[in-house]
Amino acid sequence: MNWINKDTEIYCSFAETAGNTGCQMMNTSFHYYGLNKIYKSFSVKSIEDAVNAVKTLNIKGFAITMPYKVDVLKYVNGMSDDVKEIGAANTVLNFNNGFLHAYNTDAYAARTFLGDYDNRKKLYIIGNGGYSKAVKWSGSDCRFETEIVTRSNWNEIYDIRDSVVYNCTPVDITNMVHPSNDFINCLVESKTGKQLARLQASKQFEMYTNKRFPL
C-alpha cells in the first residue's frame, strides 16, 4: 500500500449526513489492489458548492446520496442514457479535469435485486426521491406493475398484501409491512440494504478503477 502523496487520486461521497459504509468498502478495495487512491465521505449543505470543490481539487469521482441525487444533475456536463430517463444520479466521474459525467449505479443494483423476485406481484415503492426514481425505472425494466407510496398515502403501507415492497426512504418501515410481502429495505443497516450497497458499490468501483470489486 502506497503512502498518500501528491499523486494520490481522491474519490468521495456527498450527503446531507455522511456515513462510513462507502469509506469502508472503497478504501478496503483500493488497499486490496494496492492502488494509490483514497475515499472520503463528506456532509454537505450545498451540492453546487460540493461539485465546484470537485472541479477545483480535481477529485476523480464521487457518489451522491440523499437528498442530492436529482439536484446534482444541474451541475454536470453529461449523463448516461439511463440517468436521462430516471432523472437522478448517484455517481459522477470527472473526466479531463472538470468534465463531469453522471451515472446511476442504484438502478443497476435495484434491477439486479428485483430480477430475483416474482414480477407477477405488484411492486410498491415507498418514497418519491432520487433513489425511488431509480427503483421505479428498474421495476419497469423488470416488467413489474408499480405504485408509489408517499407521505400523502403513507398509511396504505399497512394494507399491502402479497406484493413486493421496496423501501426507498430513510425511515425504517419494517413493522408496517405485512409478512405476506417480499420486503426490500434500502437502509444499509438491514440485510437487503447491505446487499444493495455492495451491488451498487461494486459497479462504482469498476467505474473508478476498471477492476473487479474484490468484496
Side-chain angles (χ1 to χ4, degrees):
M1 179 69 176
N2 295 323
W3 289 101
I4 295 172
N5 57 35
K6 65 180 180 62
D7 298 317
T8 301
E9 292 185 348
I10 303 171
Y11 296 81
C12 66
S13 65
F14 298 123
E16 191 170 54
T17 303
N20 285 318
T21 301
C23 294
Q24 292 167 347
M25 287 193 290
M26 290 298 173
N27 286 315
T28 299
S29 300
F30 291 157
H31 179 78
Y32 176 86
Y33 285 109
L35 301 174
N36 191 11
K37 304 175 188 290
I38 60 170
Y39 189 98
K40 170 75 169 65
S41 59
F42 293 97
S43 299
V44 299
K45 294 182 179 179
S46 166
I47 191 62
E48 180 180 10
D49 289 346
V51 171
N52 287 335
V54 166
K55 294 179 179 180
T56 299
L57 299 174
N58 194 24
I59 292 170
K60 297 299 184 181
F62 61 95
I64 313 102
T65 62
M66 291 183 282
Y68 302 122
K69 295 184 180 189
V70 174
D71 286 347
V72 72
L73 297 184
K74 300 174 186 175
Y75 310 110
V76 300
N77 307 102
M79 58 189 79
S80 62
D81 289 340
D82 57 350
V83 168
K84 292 176 184 177
E85 294 176 10
I86 294 166
N90 76 316
T91 307
V92 176
L93 297 184
N94 181 1
F95 297 104
N96 300 322
N97 296 330
F99 186 92
L100 304 182
H101 202 280
Y103 303 88
N104 199 307
T105 67
D106 284 333
Y108 163 78
R111 188 174 57 214
T112 302
F113 215 77
L114 287 170
D116 292 333
Y117 289 84
D118 185 356
N119 64 5
R120 292 172 296 181
K121 295 183 176 182
K122 191 170 182 178
L123 172 62
Y124 287 86
I125 299 171
I126 315 302
N128 61 350
Y131 185 69
S132 171
K133 293 178 186 296
V135 173
K136 182 180 179 182
W137 182 88
S138 302
S140 177
D141 195 55
C142 293
R143 301 184 182 279
F144 279 91
E145 177 189 355
T146 63
E147 182 175 331
I148 307 295
V149 178
T150 66
R151 291 179 181 177
S152 65
N153 59 336
W154 190 254
N155 286 337
E156 288 184 15
I157 298 171
Y158 292 107
D159 300 324
I160 300 170
R161 298 289 188 276
D162 301 312
S163 301
V164 179
V165 178
Y166 200 131
N167 182 27
C168 299
T169 77
V171 180
D172 189 357
I173 63 168
T174 303
N175 294 332
M176 300 176 66
V177 178
H178 191 270
S180 68
N181 297 301
D182 295 319
F183 182 41
I184 303 170
N185 194 351
C186 77
L187 297 183
V188 75
E189 298 84 6
S190 69
K191 181 180 178 180
T192 52
K194 288 183 174 69
Q195 293 171 323
L196 288 164
R198 288 193 199 97
L199 277 170
Q200 73 84 19
S202 71
K203 183 59 67 174
Q204 284 180 329
F205 183 80
E206 291 172 8
M207 294 167 67
Y208 293 159
T209 67
N210 291 317
K211 294 182 182 295
R212 183 179 177 85
F213 191 57
L215 298 183

